[in-house]
């Protein structure tokens, strides 16, 4: 039986975690608790990710040192996770001597093996601060949407990824000075050189480790788009020094050193850390992250491990979730939107109730939106109306009429067979970390128990057929014991209560469906309190708007804003702005996929005017296109294995016109052509380009019944692929709508009539 090494994404230290951040920490906790119950040797480690630009900028804003900032927020994180009853084997941090030692050792090995390169680049430099500015030390106007407060790495308004040199009117965040462009040198991890090793590992591990679907999709998208050398150094003071001559004033980029934090935190926990991290033959690594972190865990970190030449324990199973949203919008640490860890503790709702709701709606396959009303419905309906109802009604009945002792005897074998079947399903689901489905199946068992109690009417059977009444009740008490075991990973305090009612505190997973021994019932109490409408209404109002707005509301209430017309007017304006923002977010959430596609994606029929082989890519063509605009367009496409040059030249194709440009081995690709795939074949083994020779170049295509907005911005690949295109009966569609031209023209496939398009 292999050891199980479990990690979750290291939470960044510069803020308080919200429920969306807590998803990964909680997910790993369920799996670790399950593994321990199953008897696996288990190590669950986590800790705060503390180096990098965000910490340095936040510390500067708060007027403290980075170390002081990290100490402050590390304690906040630790206390929040403790309140949630998360059972780490060790919760550490990355700003430790062990982290420096291990990161520098890994870097040296990568460098000695020839996987580190050096490049001279142009970077923004602040003459007043006398230093190069890392991306988050720069603000300016977004070149895409015009927002005046875009950061050097991303615009929060339009979500476009940026390079600091792209900003209009850039300014240093520390002193406000306009920076200048200056040359500097940085070190890069040579991902293209590591690619052959990486591809072989991914193909093998993603299948054996049953990675989450989005992990496979995002990883293959990165490989398909072409890996490029990735910068691993930054011009900061707060970070791990680079042990290489000429780089004394630079530190490692946080996304190079952060995943190595899993290793150093383990090393700070136990001197035997190598038996976990350098023993792949007897250890499986399970990682729990959000989808935005996928490529760093499936590409960058594994590539680093492979580049060292050491026999690392590498990723086995990737459990990556989609996004948890908040009341029609998005959780945001930077803007303080949502319910945060410290907020949860103030609600008066127990930790196990929060844990239940988070797992019940874990966004395993699609985004999920938290609402206070849904919390109320699930708690009152499932947690109280189903599980608690079964436990209370059954055990109090046995306690009252049998003095808690039914004695040994037969059970309902037909019902036990159903229970065992469900329990086998739950075990299999949890082995694969399908935590939401496993929990819902547990509650299906509770529902079976409730229906059995109701339909068998033990209050009648007790007199008319006392032995049958005992048979049914013994089975239900055994089922309740099993439920107490199976909810332990999800709701440990509730599990202790249920098993305590039955004197079964030491029950383990191996005891499931073993009804051979009598189970006595002791004192029983209610497990949960119903969430009333007024409680939910109060909480929804209390946690509306941002954290800053909440604090301002408290201050205004304290000052008696009703007596201050200006304060009341200010509060009204803020509330109106908040309501308008919430309305806009809810309107966006209410849009259909087809409407979102029309708003975000520009499809243009384009003519191929030139085809040439990419000098650095065997499967890549460089295509010149006529899109109907004055300037020709260039794209790179990996379709060499499927088409000869003459089969493409002169034909019209469908171009994703506003896909964010990407660099393919030195050639910039400004868009992507659409091609159908055989749904029965493995991914990326078939390809049928969607030709549109009957439609003039320059024609725009949209979902039927919709139109593109007058102004459109770049769409990121993950946003594009989140709105899947497909062919049905040979016609290109999205969300049940045909993709059509202005005169109703359609495009589509001739070979793969029904299947995905990408």
């Amino acid at each position: 039986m292999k050891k199980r090494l479990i990690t979750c994404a290291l939470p960044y230290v510069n803020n308080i975690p919200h429920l969306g951040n807590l998803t990964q920490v909680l997910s790993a906790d369920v799996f670790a608790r399950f593994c321990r119950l199953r008897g696996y040797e288990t190590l669950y480690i986590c800790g705060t990710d503390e180096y990098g630009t965000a910490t340095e900028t936040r510390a500067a804003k708060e007027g403290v040192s980075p170390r002081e900032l990290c100490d402050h927020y590390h304690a906040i994180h630790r206390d929040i996770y403790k309140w949630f009853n998360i059972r780490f084997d060790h919760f550490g941090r990355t700003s430790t001597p062990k982290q420096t030692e291990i990161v520098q050792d890994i870097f040296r090995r990568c460098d000695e093996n020839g996987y580190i390169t050096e490049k001279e680049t142009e970077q923004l430099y602040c003459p007043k601060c006398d230093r190069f500015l890392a991306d988050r030390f720069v603000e300016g106007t977004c070149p895409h949407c015009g927002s005046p407060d875009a950061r050097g790495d991303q615009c929060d308004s339009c979500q476009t990824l940026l390079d600091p040199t792209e900003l209009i009117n850039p300014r240093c965040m520390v002193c406000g000075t306009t920076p200048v462009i200056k040359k500097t040198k940085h070190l890069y991890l040579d991902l293209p050189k590591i690619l052959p090793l990486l591809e072989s590992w991914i193909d093998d591990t993603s299948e054996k480790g049953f990675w989450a679907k989005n992990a496979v999709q995002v990883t293959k998208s990165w490989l398909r788009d072409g890996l490029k050398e990735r910068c691993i150094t930054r011009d900061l003071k707060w970070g791990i020094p680079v042990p290489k001559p000429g780089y004394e004033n630079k530190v490692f980029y946080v996304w190079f050193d952060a995943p190595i934090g899993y290793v150093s935190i383990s090393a700070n926990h136990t001197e035997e850390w190598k038996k976990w991290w350098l023993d792949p033959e007897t250890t499986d690594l399970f990682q729990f992250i959000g989808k935005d972190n996928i490529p760093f865990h499936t590409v960058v970190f594994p590539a680093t491990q492979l580049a060292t030449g050491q026999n690392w324990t590498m990723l086995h199973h990737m459990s990556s979730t989609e996004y948890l949203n908040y009341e029609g919008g998005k959780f945001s640490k930077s803007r303080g939107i949502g319910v945060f860890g410290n907020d949860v503790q103030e609600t008066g709702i127990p930790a196990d109730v929060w844990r239940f709701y988070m797992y019940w709606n874990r966004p395993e396959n699609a985004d999920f939106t938290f609402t206070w009303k849904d919390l109320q419905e699930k708690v009152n309906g499932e947690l109280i109306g189903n599980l608690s109802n079964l436990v209370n009604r059954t055990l109090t009945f046995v306690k009252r009429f049998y003095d808690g002792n039914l004695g040994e005897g037969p059970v309902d074998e037909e019902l036990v067979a159903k229970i065992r079947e469900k329990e086998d399903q739950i075990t299999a689901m949890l082995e694969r970390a399908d935590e939401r489905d496993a929990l819902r199946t547990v509650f299906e068992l509770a529902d079976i128990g409730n229906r059995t109690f109701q339909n068998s009417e033990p209050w009648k059977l007790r007199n008319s057929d006392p032995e049958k009444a005992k048979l049914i009740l013994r089975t239900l008490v055994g089922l309740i014991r099993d439920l107490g075991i199976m909810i332990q990973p999800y709701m440990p305090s509730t599990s202790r209560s249920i098993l305590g009612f039955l004197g079964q505190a030491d029950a383990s997973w191996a005891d499931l469906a073993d009804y051979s021994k009598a189970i006595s019932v002791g004192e029983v109490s209610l497990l949960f309190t119903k969430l009333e409408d007024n409680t939910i209404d109060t909480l929804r109002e209390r946690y509306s708007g941002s954290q800053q707005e909440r604090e301002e509301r408290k201050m205004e209430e304290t000052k008696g804003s009703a007596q201050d017309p200006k304060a009341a007017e200010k509060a009204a304006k803020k509330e109106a702005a908040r309501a308008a923002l919430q309305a806009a977010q809810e309107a966006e959430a209410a849009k259909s996929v087809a409407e979102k596609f029309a708003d975000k994606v520009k499809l243009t029929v384009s003519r191929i005017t030139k085809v040439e082989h990419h000098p650095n890519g065997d499967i890549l063509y460089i295509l010149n296109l006529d899109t109907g605009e004055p300037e020709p367009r260039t794209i790179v496409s990996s379709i060499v294995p499927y088409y000869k040059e003459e089969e493409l030249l002169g034909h019209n194709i469908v171009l994703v016109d506003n896909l964010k440009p990407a660099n393919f081995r030195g050639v910039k690709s400004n868009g992507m052509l659409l091609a159908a795939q055989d749904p029965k074949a493995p991914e990326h083994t078939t390809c049928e380009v969607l030709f549109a020779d009957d439609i003039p170049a320059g024609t725009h295509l949209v979902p039927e019944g919709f139109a593109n907005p007058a102004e459109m911005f770049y769409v990121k690949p993950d946003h594009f692929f989140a709105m899947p295109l497909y062919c049905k009966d040979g016609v290109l569609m999205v969300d049940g709508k045909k993709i059509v031209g202005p005169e109703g023209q359609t495009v589509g496939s001739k070979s793969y009539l029904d299947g995905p398009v990408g």
Side-chain angles (χ1 to χ4, degrees):
M1 186 185 294
K2 280 194 171 185
K3 303 189 299 293
R4 294 197 163 179
L5 174 57
I6 301 167
T7 75
C8 63
L10 302 181
Y12 206 72
V13 76
N14 71 329
N15 219 319
I16 300 171
H18 53 60
L19 290 182
N21 305 135
L22 283 158
T23 298
Q24 315 315 325
V25 186
L26 286 164
S27 296
D29 187 54
V30 162
F31 189 69
R33 287 174 177 272
F34 165 73
C35 290
R36 296 184 192 110
L37 278 172
R38 289 277 280 165
Y40 294 104
E41 188 177 358
T42 302
L43 178 65
Y44 174 27
I45 60 98
C46 185
T48 42
D49 176 10
E50 301 192 349
Y51 286 129
T53 317
T55 297
E56 197 168 312
T57 54
R58 181 65 179 259
K61 285 183 178 180
E62 295 192 9
V64 297
S65 71
R67 169 58 66 195
E68 290 171 324
L69 184 90
C70 291
D71 289 346
H72 173 70
Y73 281 106
H74 175 81
I76 290 175
H77 278 259
R78 179 199 62 212
D79 292 345
I80 287 172
Y81 303 141
K82 183 178 180 181
W83 185 87
F84 270 95
N85 207 357
I86 294 166
R87 187 183 161 194
F88 303 110
D89 288 292
H90 184 61
F91 182 73
R93 53 202 305 185
T94 58
S95 60
T96 66
K98 275 289 183 189
Q99 174 79 348
T100 299
E101 174 191 332
I102 294 173
V103 168
Q104 290 182 341
D105 178 66
I106 286 174
F107 166 75
R108 289 190 186 99
R109 292 175 186 272
C110 292
D111 197 16
E112 290 167 1
N113 291 337
Y115 292 109
I116 302 296
T117 60
E118 181 181 81
K119 289 184 180 182
E120 186 175 69
T121 62
E122 289 186 335
Q123 192 174 334
L124 293 180
Y125 176 86
C126 178
K128 186 173 181 180
C129 295
D130 189 25
R131 68 172 178 176
F132 286 98
L133 300 177
D135 42 24
R136 290 201 177 194
F137 272 90
V138 188
E139 284 184 340
T141 301
C142 176
H144 302 284
C145 72
S147 170
D149 298 315
R151 299 193 311 268
D153 60 343
Q154 182 175 349
C155 174
D156 283 338
S157 295
C158 66
Q159 302 301 310
T160 301
L161 297 178
L162 299 171
D163 185 278
T165 57
E166 294 181 84
L167 291 173
I168 300 168
N169 299 323
R171 58 188 178 274
C172 171
M173 283 187 61
V174 177
C175 67
T177 300
T178 300
V180 296
I181 294 179
K182 193 173 179 180
K183 289 185 177 180
T184 185
K185 288 183 179 180
H186 280 287
L187 297 175
Y188 291 74
L189 181 65
D190 194 345
L191 291 178
K193 188 174 180 180
I194 307 170
L195 183 59
L197 296 174
L198 189 65
E199 282 185 314
S200 175
W201 172 78
I202 287 172
D203 289 342
D204 181 59
T205 303
S206 62
E207 184 175 344
K208 288 182 179 178
F210 43 90
W211 290 9
K213 184 178 179 181
N214 62 1
V216 174
Q217 290 175 334
V218 170
T219 303
K220 290 191 173 181
S221 173
W222 264 53
L223 298 183
R224 184 187 65 237
D225 293 345
L227 296 182
K228 57 185 179 181
E229 294 170 306
R230 189 168 190 89
C231 186
I232 62 170
T233 53
R234 283 291 186 270
D235 292 287
L236 296 170
K237 293 182 175 62
W238 180 243
I240 296 175
V242 180
K244 192 176 180 71
Y247 287 85
E248 291 80 4
N249 295 322
K250 297 183 190 291
V251 300
F252 284 112
Y253 178 35
V254 68
W255 261 117
F256 177 75
D257 87 79
I260 301 172
Y262 300 128
V263 184
S264 75
I265 291 170
S266 303
N268 278 308
H269 171 61
T270 172
E271 292 182 357
E272 296 184 321
W273 65 272
K274 290 183 180 179
K275 87 167 190 177
W276 294 95
W277 281 102
L278 290 165
D279 187 12
E281 287 74 23
T282 66
T283 308
D284 279 337
L285 171 60
F286 293 76
Q287 297 196 286
F288 293 79
I289 62 171
K291 68 179 179 182
D292 51 335
N293 286 337
I294 288 171
F296 298 101
H297 290 76
T298 63
V299 177
V300 178
F301 182 43
T304 303
Q305 291 177 299
L306 291 167
T308 66
Q310 294 176 285
N311 192 29
W312 283 100
T313 299
M314 296 178 66
L315 173 65
H316 168 67
H317 175 64
M318 172 54 69
S319 182
S320 42
T321 58
E322 302 293 324
Y323 292 129
L324 179 68
N325 297 321
Y326 179 66
E327 292 275 351
K330 289 185 177 181
F331 281 95
S332 172
K333 283 198 301 182
S334 61
R335 291 183 291 127
I337 302 295
V339 183
F340 289 74
N342 53 343
D343 299 330
V344 171
Q345 298 175 55
E346 298 171 358
T347 62
I349 300 173
D352 264 17
V353 175
W354 283 105
R355 287 177 64 107
F356 156 77
Y357 184 73
M358 293 289 288
Y359 297 126
W360 185 270
N361 293 308
R362 184 173 183 254
E364 291 182 358
N365 302 310
D367 293 354
F368 178 79
T369 298
F370 169 92
T371 67
W372 289 101
K373 187 65 177 176
D374 187 62
L375 171 68
Q376 180 186 26
E377 290 174 354
K378 295 300 184 296
V379 169
N380 292 349
E382 289 293 341
L383 200 54
I384 296 176
N386 187 2
L387 176 65
S388 183
N389 184 48
L390 172 65
V391 172
N392 187 65
R393 74 197 301 198
T394 304
L395 299 190
T396 53
F397 187 88
V398 173
K399 183 69 174 174
R400 179 180 177 186
F401 293 105
Y402 298 91
D403 197 25
N405 190 356
L406 295 163
E408 290 187 8
V411 292
D412 186 336
E413 294 296 345
E414 184 177 346
L415 178 56
V416 169
K418 290 181 182 178
I419 292 170
R420 286 194 176 117
E421 182 181 2
K422 288 286 186 185
E423 290 177 349
D424 288 345
Q425 292 174 9
I426 291 162
T427 302
M429 289 172 185
L430 284 172
E431 286 285 352
R432 296 173 62 95
D434 294 334
E435 297 172 355
R436 185 195 63 180
D437 291 345
L439 179 63
R440 293 188 180 194
T441 308
V442 169
F443 276 75
E444 287 177 16
L445 267 178
D447 184 59
I448 289 173
N450 271 308
R451 284 188 279 112
T452 299
F453 187 94
Q454 192 66 33
N455 294 337
S456 63
E457 298 181 321
W459 53 90
K460 294 181 180 179
L461 278 180
R462 185 173 65 89
N463 297 313
S464 63
D465 192 344
E467 289 306 312
K468 185 175 182 180
K470 285 186 177 182
L471 177 145
I472 295 293
L473 291 169
R474 283 192 202 98
T475 312
L476 290 178
V477 170
L479 170 59
I480 290 170
R481 188 275 316 274
D482 287 1
L483 293 172
I485 295 169
M486 290 185 292
I487 67 166
Q488 192 276 337
Y490 297 96
M491 295 175 282
S493 295
T494 306
S495 170
R496 279 195 299 274
S497 295
I498 294 174
L499 295 177
F501 298 158
L502 304 173
Q504 298 279 311
D506 297 328
S508 70
W509 209 266
D511 295 315
L512 293 179
D514 179 3
Y515 300 164
S516 60
K517 296 179 181 178
I519 301 174
S520 298
V521 178
E523 295 302 319
V524 180
S525 58
L526 287 175
L527 295 172
F528 306 104
T529 302
K530 186 179 179 182
L531 294 180
E532 302 292 349
D533 289 344
N534 61 340
T535 300
I536 292 300
D537 291 342
T538 299
L539 292 172
R540 182 189 294 109
E541 173 60 26
R542 183 188 302 171
Y543 298 112
S544 63
S546 68
Q547 289 174 307
Q548 182 178 347
E549 289 170 332
R550 297 170 200 168
E551 288 301 317
E552 290 176 355
R553 284 204 299 268
K554 288 180 182 178
M555 291 176 64
E556 288 168 356
E557 289 169 4
T558 302
K559 293 177 181 178
S561 59
Q563 299 175 6
D564 184 347
K566 289 185 178 180
E569 182 181 354
K570 183 180 179 182
K573 287 181 179 179
K574 284 186 174 293
E575 175 58 24
R578 185 201 62 77
L581 176 61
Q582 182 173 334
Q585 291 172 334
E586 290 174 351
E588 177 66 21
K591 289 181 180 178
S592 66
V593 172
E595 188 176 1
K596 291 178 182 177
F597 189 94
D599 285 349
K600 295 180 179 180
V601 181
K602 184 179 180 183
L603 299 180
T604 304
V605 176
S606 304
R607 183 170 178 269
I608 302 175
T609 58
K610 184 179 179 181
V611 183
E612 59 181 322
H613 284 269
H614 194 300
N616 300 316
D618 293 340
I619 65 170
L620 301 177
Y621 277 132
I622 300 174
L623 306 178
N624 286 1
L625 304 177
D626 172 11
T627 64
E629 297 177 351
E631 292 294 323
R633 186 76 64 90
T634 299
I635 67 169
V636 178
S637 186
S638 56
I639 58 174
V640 169
Y642 310 104
Y643 289 91
K644 297 177 181 178
E645 295 179 44
E646 59 269 21
E647 293 176 313
L648 298 169
L649 188 62
H651 287 283
N652 288 1
I653 52 93
V654 180
L655 174 72
V656 183
D657 197 327
N658 64 330
L659 193 69
K660 185 171 176 60
N663 192 297
F664 285 77
R665 301 191 179 183
V667 178
K668 194 172 187 180
S669 181
N670 293 283
M672 179 186 79
L673 62 76
L674 293 183
Q677 303 168 25
D678 183 352
K680 299 177 182 178
E683 281 192 282
H684 309 304
T685 61
T686 58
C687 172
E688 179 189 356
V689 173
L690 301 188
F691 292 116
D693 293 332
D694 296 334
I695 304 176
T699 303
H700 298 306
L701 308 176
V702 294
E704 193 171 26
F706 295 95
N708 290 140
E711 188 176 11
M712 300 186 74
F713 306 107
Y714 283 135
V715 61
K716 293 191 287 187
D718 57 337
H719 291 175
F720 170 73
F721 288 112
M723 301 174 285
L725 287 163
Y726 59 93
C727 279
K728 183 178 181 182
D729 297 328
V731 177
L732 180 63
M733 306 186 74
V734 65
D735 193 27
K737 302 286 185 181
K738 295 178 181 178
I739 300 293
V740 300
E743 299 176 7
Q745 311 103 306
T746 61
V747 295
S749 55
K750 295 182 179 179
S751 297
Y752 308 132
L753 301 182
D754 297 284
V757 170

